[in-house]
Amino acid sequence: MGTEAVQFEQVTYRYPGAPSPALEGVTLSVLPGERLGVLGPNGGGKSTLLKLALGLLPVQQGRIGVFGLTPAEARGRGLIGYVAQRIDAELGFPLSVRQVVELAAGWRTPPWRRLGGQARARVDRALELTGASALADRPIGSLSGGQTQRAMIARALATDAKVLVLDEPLVGIDAAGQQQFAELLATVHRATGVTILIVSHDLRAIAAGCDRVACLARRLHSHVSPQGLTPRVLAELFSHDVAGLAGVGGLAGVHVHAHGPDEPCPEHGPTPGPVGLTVRGRGTAGGGTP
Amino acid sequence: MNLLRYFDSWATAELVLTALAAGACVVVMCSLLSVLVVLKRLAFIGQGVSHSAFGGIGVAAVIGAATGAAWAGQGGVVEFGVVVTFCIGAALGMASVGTAGGAGRSRPIEVDTGIGLFLVASMALGGLLVEAARALAQRLGHPVGARSWESILFGSILTAGWGDVLVAFGLLVLTVGVAWLARRPLLFWAFDETCAPAFGVPGTLMRTVLMVLLALATVTATKLAGVVLASALLVLPGATALKLSRRLWSVLALSVAVGVGGLVVGLAVSLQADLQPGPCIVLAMVAAFVAAGFWNRLGSGAAPPRSETA
């Protein structure tokens, strides 16, 4: 305990006034340096999971730890770097890419001080890692979608984050951009060893850059039979969002297995939980099975 | 009257100088904030806040008429306090309607509807209360403390005294000071309201700071341009500057330049042609905005914003 980068224990969350919980009894752990993809249909509770990990929603039931700290503490120390689902930022702001990254690295700097040398070094490194150095002096609003995403990843890294959290990173990015994104993420991971948590409804997107994939749907636990879960069954479970999961059946080397509540996962050892479905992407970097 | 003849005697020159000094404080404060107002699309909230000043003026007028005291009447401490309270309350109220849909997913009413309601309710309340104050003052035999309709709606910068200048200057220092102290988290939050909290930026606090500053600027702007035109000061300088530049510091400098320029030109025209100063100032700023638009069209201004694809 405490060694996990991110740990969820029996977490249940219900939005105020909602008839049913968005998340129920979720147990999940991400090891330091691991790249975990969380896969699920729209409305399956993925964004809720992220908001809980970021401390943007209060923990109602269960326990969440980020490097042994509460999400709010981890956030306070800048351990989590967040890249949002769509770019909600006001891109018309008269800010350069460097200024945007500097805001994340140095917003805590006392107002009477200039940005410190360490913060500047972090900004330079983050821009370099994401290949955004050449864009540094461009106005943020003048970038393409892919370039903006690079800037946003640079911003997330500039806080010296130990966990990089990406919400639906490939929405609206074309095939070539997806390839570039996967390469960018691999570069960042190699250079920093940062833990990466990606949330998406697109398995193809996740499998490309993750060591492990966890499936999440609010009611998944009540529908899963412990044995015999095949990609086809999985697709049926997600039937209200088949389009987003079209990659499951056809994706070579993806192995799906499941286990019931409180049963140890046959492949990953003692990580039991009601939502105990794990899809393991074989053949992806670091994803080798015993 | 010819413009230069105002400077023949100190009495008339002082009239112009106090108007310029008070106006400059108001305009600089509003111009700086207007950049954020435009970028965060708060123009309608600004409109709502300035109109809620009317409700505050009405309440103050009734207090003034009932007590008959000078400090409680037009331009007095009580009026200022009541109007500031009204405006800050309105700003925070409207901002909270805007964010209520966040985590709870239950937005009681749409933001536009909320602001629209606030605006007309405050205008109606203010209108009735000012009337009531006049009647009350008459019955009690007190001097009529209520402002004229013209001064409420279009401002009365030429009646500003050195006391008003002092108040405006104090508010300017306060606004610039707070904005400077909070500039990094404020800018981070303003740029990316969704993500900034995930980086630890206190979003609610930043929103409150911005809304309080906006309310203070609006209150002082109603003195210059009245309830109807105050929000123009919170939109036009920033909108004009953003047409001309995409660099933070030059946008802020241009915005202040447009504000001060509009004040000087508008005031000069109003004195020369014997017109209301408020509308003249606002129209001078509108002219600057239109000119900036043409300048931008010619291709010499800021790069056009990226087409929305994300």
Side-chain angles (χ1 to χ4, degrees):
Chain A
M1 203 59 74
T3 56
E4 287 88 354
V6 183
Q7 167 109 45
F8 279 73
E9 266 180 43
Q10 295 293 332
V11 173
T12 296
Y13 189 86
R14 184 198 298 263
Y15 284 97
S20 59
L23 283 182
E24 208 168 333
V26 171
T27 295
L28 180 76
S29 59
V30 191
L31 298 173
E34 196 176 25
R35 293 174 293 180
L36 178 81
V38 178
L39 174 73
N42 292 327
K46 300 187 303 295
S47 291
T48 308
L49 187 86
L50 282 195
K51 283 181 188 159
L52 284 164
L54 290 165
L56 297 179
L57 290 175
V59 179
Q60 291 171 340
Q61 237 181 312
R63 204 192 74 90
I64 302 172
V66 179
F67 284 104
L69 304 168
T70 66
E73 286 168 347
R75 191 163 51 116
R77 297 188 194 185
L79 291 181
I80 309 179
Y82 177 51
V83 181
Q85 179 168 0
R86 354 178 214 117
I87 294 152
D88 281 328
E90 310 276 357
L91 293 172
F93 257 61
L95 292 171
S96 68
V97 171
R98 178 179 295 279
Q99 280 174 317
V100 167
V101 179
E102 277 178 352
L103 281 177
W107 73 267
R108 286 186 173 86
T109 308
W112 51 88
R113 291 235 182 97
R114 294 175 65 88
L115 208 62
Q118 278 190 333
R120 281 169 191 280
R122 284 206 306 270
V123 170
D124 285 335
R125 183 167 153 74
L127 286 170
E128 198 180 314
L129 273 175
T130 52
S133 298
L135 309 171
D137 293 320
R138 297 254 306 266
I140 188 75
S142 69
L143 306 186
S144 72
Q147 290 171 329
T148 308
Q149 193 177 46
R150 276 171 193 271
M152 292 304 164
I153 294 174
R155 180 177 75 168
L157 288 170
T159 61
D160 220 5
K162 299 280 178 285
V163 186
L164 196 56
V165 174
L166 300 110
D167 194 356
E168 299 282 5
L170 293 187
V171 167
I173 304 235
D174 61 17
Q178 293 187 9
Q179 183 58 33
Q180 284 175 351
F181 169 78
E183 284 164 14
L184 166 64
L185 221 53
T187 308
V188 167
H189 186 250
R190 233 184 351 260
T192 61
V194 68
T195 308
I196 296 177
L197 186 60
I198 299 180
V199 152
S200 181
H201 67 279
D202 185 348
L203 180 59
R204 283 164 295 191
I206 280 185
C210 289
D211 304 326
R212 250 193 334 133
V213 181
C215 283
L216 178 71
R218 184 181 40 189
R219 286 191 293 254
L220 186 62
H221 60 284
S222 60
H223 289 279
V224 171
S225 66
Q227 278 85 34
L229 191 78
T230 63
R232 193 180 55 77
V233 175
L234 183 63
E236 278 168 14
L237 280 172
F238 285 77
S239 56
H240 54 288
D241 189 29
V242 177
L245 277 160
V248 173
L251 198 75
V254 170
H255 164 67
V256 183
H257 68 103
H259 53 86
D262 304 321
E263 279 177 33
C265 172
E267 205 164 338
H268 298 110
T271 54
V275 184
L277 172 69
T278 314
V279 183
R280 186 153 190 140
R282 279 188 186 144
T284 57
T289 45
Chain B
M1 182 153 54
N2 190 294
L3 181 57
L4 289 174
R5 288 187 52 204
Y6 275 89
F7 294 93
D8 286 350
S9 80
W10 171 243
T12 48
E14 194 184 14
L15 193 79
V16 179
L17 288 179
T18 46
L20 263 180
C25 295
V26 172
V27 149
V28 170
M29 184 174 11
C30 290
S31 300
L32 289 173
L33 283 174
S34 73
V35 175
L36 277 184
V37 168
V38 171
L39 288 169
K40 295 220 49 79
R41 300 180 199 89
L42 296 173
F44 195 38
I45 286 195
Q47 190 89 336
V49 171
S50 67
H51 284 70
S52 6
F54 204 169
I57 291 170
V59 171
V62 170
I63 296 173
T67 58
W71 50 264
Q74 177 185 349
V77 190
V78 170
E79 183 184 74
F80 185 72
V82 171
V83 174
V84 166
T85 313
F86 244 78
C87 286
I88 291 180
L92 293 179
M94 287 185 280
S96 72
V97 170
T99 49
R105 283 181 177 175
S106 56
R107 183 175 286 184
I109 41 172
E110 284 305 316
V111 185
D112 307 23
T113 315
I115 297 170
L117 266 171
F118 235 96
L119 195 154
V120 291
S122 194
M123 283 294 277
L125 180 72
L128 288 180
L129 287 179
V130 168
E131 286 282 301
R134 289 203 178 117
L136 186 66
Q138 229 164 19
R139 194 177 331 145
L140 296 176
H142 291 148
V144 176
R147 291 164 176 276
S148 72
W149 291 113
E150 264 189 341
S151 102
I152 294 174
L153 294 178
F154 296 110
S156 52
I157 191 67
L158 288 172
T159 64
W162 289 110
D164 292 310
V165 175
L166 211 63
V167 170
F169 184 71
L171 286 171
L172 171 66
V173 170
L174 181 77
T175 306
V176 172
V178 169
W180 184 78
L181 284 174
R183 66 186 186 282
R184 289 189 184 115
L186 187 63
L187 203 58
F188 193 178
W189 168 82
F191 170 65
D192 197 343
E193 223 174 295
T194 317
C195 289
F199 286 82
V201 175
T204 314
L205 178 65
M206 290 303 121
R207 176 171 287 276
T208 308
V209 166
L210 181 60
M211 286 302 145
V212 170
L213 292 183
L214 193 62
L216 287 175
T218 308
V219 174
T220 45
T222 54
K223 180 78 184 166
L224 182 64
V227 163
V228 178
L229 299 179
S231 55
L233 303 182
L234 283 161
V235 174
L236 287 169
T240 308
L242 283 164
K243 280 214 174 293
L244 298 174
S245 174
R246 291 264 163 224
R247 299 287 167 193
L248 183 62
W249 294 108
S250 57
V251 165
L252 290 173
L254 280 168
S255 185
V256 170
V258 169
V260 174
L263 172 74
V264 172
V265 171
L267 203 57
V269 169
S270 106
L271 293 175
Q272 178 73 31
D274 201 16
L275 296 166
Q276 283 263 7
C280 288
I281 294 166
V282 170
L283 281 180
M285 290 182 188
V286 171
F289 177 77
V290 172
F294 277 116
W295 180 260
N296 204 350
R297 277 279 173 81
L298 290 174
S300 337
R306 194 172 62 88
S307 59
E308 286 297 327
T309 47

